[in-house]
Amino acid sequence: MNSSMHSKPPRYSKLLPCLSIQASWQRLVDLFTDAGIDCARQEASIVLQHVTRQTPTDFFANLQRTLLPAENSQVEAIVSRRLLREPLQYILNSAHFYGREFYVDSRVLIPRPETELLIELVREILPVLPQRAAGPTFADVGTGSGSVAVTLACEIAGARILAIDSSKAALQVARINAARHSVGDRVHLLQDDLLTAVGARYSVIVANLPYVPTKDIQGLSPEVSCFEPHHALDGGADGLDAITRLCSQAAQVLDTNGWLLLEVGEGQADGVLQLLSQQHMWEPLRSVPDLRGVSRVVAGRMVGSHR
Ligand SMILES: C[S@@+](CC[C@H](N)C(=O)[O-])C[C@H]1O[C@@H](n2cnc3c(N)ncnc32)[C@H](O)[C@@H]1O
């Protein structure tokens, strides 16, 4: 045996030794904290629960178990991406919305908790929607991952949803999620610029369109500005390009007494309320705050054509 073979270190020595789950958890918390990642402790536990395929309860019951070599290398692969500030949801292809898990990747915006308010408001107006023999119909404009459209289909028996996005790539993700939650037969996907090609009428239009002013995007966290698709964020100079255009199209696509529910950015609700009040066909028209007290959704019922 030649001596150089003895001096060559075995491949696995390049990896960190396998730590206990608890020690690995602490190491990840330190790495994430040093990298400026919010919620370092929570994210570290999500990584380890994912890799060890444990429920939170099992995870806390097995903190002394040593990671297997394959688990160890999977942790390292995830951590190296996360330290570059790629969102954990993209790395794990998983995000939660209204109690369900959705597939996500860099083709779509990661669903946000504040958007759940749109679902809550739909549930609130459900009893007063115009009656349709086959059940209510919804147009979800800017569907992205399909989180809103799929949730509506899951929550409202018989509801049919047209899920629109201008991005073909986003619609591919929405299709995955509609199939995952077994509502592909009631969520119809359409590539369109807002409602331009829509001929039918709907009981409700819901929309979470891009609303970040272009100049503000660079100032967002690296997770958002460097990784989330800019077509899902960029709302033009004042953030209201797509929303303004949707407001001018909405009445043509709504049933009389149908509702328009628009998610807006912080500080934008008054401008959108003003825009809609000039059309003299929305009553009631109001903004609804999220849990932080920020006016987050503008909601209006279309009572008829211009009065
Ligand atoms: C803020 S994301 C919202 C995604 C999803 N509804 C959610 O709440 O997680 C906005 C979406 O609107 C789409 N979008 C942007 N401009 C559009 C347009 N003119 N017509 C249709 N969709 C548009 C983007 O591609 C993106 O998927």
Side-chain angles (χ1 to χ4, degrees), residues 129-137 157-160 203 255:
L129 287 182
Q131 289 301 307
R132 280 171 167 265
T137 57
R160 285 165 298 136
S203 320
D255 287 338

Side-chain angles (χ1 to χ4, degrees), residues 205-262:
I205 296 172
V206 286
N208 176 20
L209 284 163
Y211 52 64
V212 182
T214 309
K215 65 174 176 16
D216 294 351
I217 291 179
Q218 283 317 314
L220 300 173
S221 71
E223 281 84 351
V224 180
S225 62
C226 302
F227 290 94
E228 296 205 89
H230 281 207
H231 60 81
L233 300 168
D234 191 346
D238 64 355
L240 292 175
D241 280 6
I243 290 174
T244 303
R245 288 175 53 231
L246 183 69
C247 287
S248 69
Q249 295 180 338
Q252 275 96 59
V253 170
L254 271 180
D255 287 338
T256 300
N257 291 323
W259 286 75
L260 173 64
L261 303 176
L262 295 174

Side-chain angles (χ1 to χ4, degrees), residues 172-185:
Q172 289 164 349
V173 175
R175 185 180 306 283
I176 292 171
N177 285 315
R180 173 180 280 199
H181 293 288
S182 309
V183 291
D185 56 335

